[in-house]
Amino acid sequence: QQPVQSPQAVILREGEDAVINCSSSKALYSVHWYRQKHGEAPVFLMILLKGGEQKGHDKISASFNEKKQQSSLYLTASQLSYSGTYFCGTVVYGGATNKLIFGTGTLLAVQP
Amino acid sequence: DTAVSQTPKYLVTQMGNDKSIKCEQNLGHDTMYWYKQDSKKFLKIMFSYNNKELIINETVPNRFSPKSPDKAHLNLHINSLELGDSAVYFCASSHTGRGETQYFGPGTRLLVL
């Protein structure tokens, strides 16, 4: 049930681009993306709703393909501040209660 | 102003002890959560409360008991601590609990010796 992310880890130089993928075995209605810096709490980046729209947040954007049950996070011209672990989260709807199931995580390290 | 706060930040204790972690949010949210993040960084939901009512209770040992005295507070009490309970425990909150953005507290790093 846990979404699978790829790659597990990626090392970049400042200014390089990266793509992080998130795949689910279940139908997706929405996808969350969070970033967690070392020793800190996860911080919300964006939500993508059903409809395939692409959202942006500074130089970080994401797409959502509900047919393929996948989402991708695009980091453009990476900065040192982008380093951290990125998690996708998929919402499991259960009547009155909805659960956010986090993916396996992708560790991103940006080097000078 | 801290949105979601947790105490303590660090907790080091012996096996068999009982300990509590407290969480408070000042965002006016109706829903609060407890997550466990293990050494592999997997973030797993444990419990969720909506307006003081328990709505999500994942497969968690009975030694873990959450309590919500009001919708701004959610505590986690752990009895008879085991080595495997060592992890970072995050509290989070969201507006209604229907799949919207969640705001996380700074985490409590629990080490059981």
Side-chain angles (χ1 to χ4, degrees):
Chain A
Q1 194 176 5
Q2 181 179 30
V4 176
Q5 291 181 229
S6 62
Q8 282 186 320
V10 57
I11 301 174
L12 298 174
R13 293 264 180 221
E14 259 186 306
E16 290 181 339
D17 302 340
V19 181
I20 299 171
N21 300 304
C22 173
S23 283
S24 173
S25 58
K26 301 231 174 208
L28 296 178
Y29 298 94
S30 65
V31 177
H32 293 220
W33 283 98
Y34 287 76
R35 175 172 61 207
Q36 183 179 27
K37 299 202 174 192
H38 182 69
E40 298 182 8
V43 173
F44 171 77
L45 291 176
M46 64 189 81
I47 286 181
L48 295 104
L49 303 176
K50 205 171 172 179
E53 60 183 299
Q54 190 149 343
K55 284 218 166 190
H57 181 276
D58 196 10
K59 288 184 183 169
I60 300 174
S61 61
S63 62
F64 176 26
N65 187 326
E66 65 261 27
K67 278 188 185 170
K68 290 187 178 177
Q69 295 168 191
Q70 289 175 350
S71 176
S72 294
L73 187 72
Y74 306 94
L75 298 105
T76 308
S78 58
Q79 305 165 20
L80 294 176
S81 62
Y82 286 4
S83 293
T85 301
Y86 289 77
F87 292 97
C88 66
T90 56
V91 178
V92 175
Y93 290 90
T97 69
N98 301 325
K99 280 191 294 197
L100 185 60
I101 307 295
F102 282 95
T104 49
T106 296
L107 178 61
L108 179 79
V110 181
Q111 297 178 340
Chain B
D1 251 1
T2 306
V4 184
S5 58
Q6 288 179 235
T7 53
K9 192 168 180 183
Y10 298 96
L11 199 47
V12 181
T13 188
Q14 300 284 335
M15 262 196 331
N17 283 349
D18 303 339
K19 289 292 176 189
S20 290
I21 306 171
K22 295 188 175 187
C23 178
E24 177 180 358
Q25 55 97 1
N26 63 7
L27 296 167
H29 289 165
D30 286 345
T31 306
M32 296 182 74
Y33 311 83
W34 279 114
Y35 286 89
K36 179 180 179 180
Q37 186 169 44
D38 61 22
S39 56
K40 292 184 180 175
K41 290 252 179 180
F42 292 146
L43 258 174
K44 194 170 176 202
I45 188 163
M46 299 171 70
F47 302 103
S48 173
Y49 271 77
N50 181 275
N51 267 320
K52 304 193 293 176
E53 184 188 342
L54 181 66
I55 56 170
I56 294 175
N57 185 351
E58 291 297 281
T59 311
V60 176
N62 289 340
R63 300 180 294 102
F64 289 81
S65 49
K67 275 206 174 78
S68 180
D70 56 62
K71 71 176 193 176
H73 295 85
L74 180 61
N75 303 324
L76 183 66
H77 187 76
I78 316 170
N79 287 326
S80 306
L81 278 155
E82 299 178 359
L83 294 176
D85 297 332
S86 295
V88 182
Y89 292 84
F90 285 103
C91 173
S93 74
S94 71
H95 188 47
T96 64
R98 292 189 186 152
E100 68 281 302
T101 305
Q102 293 188 15
Y103 297 85
F104 284 78
T108 295
R109 284 134 191 90
L110 172 65
L111 178 60
V112 183
L113 303 172

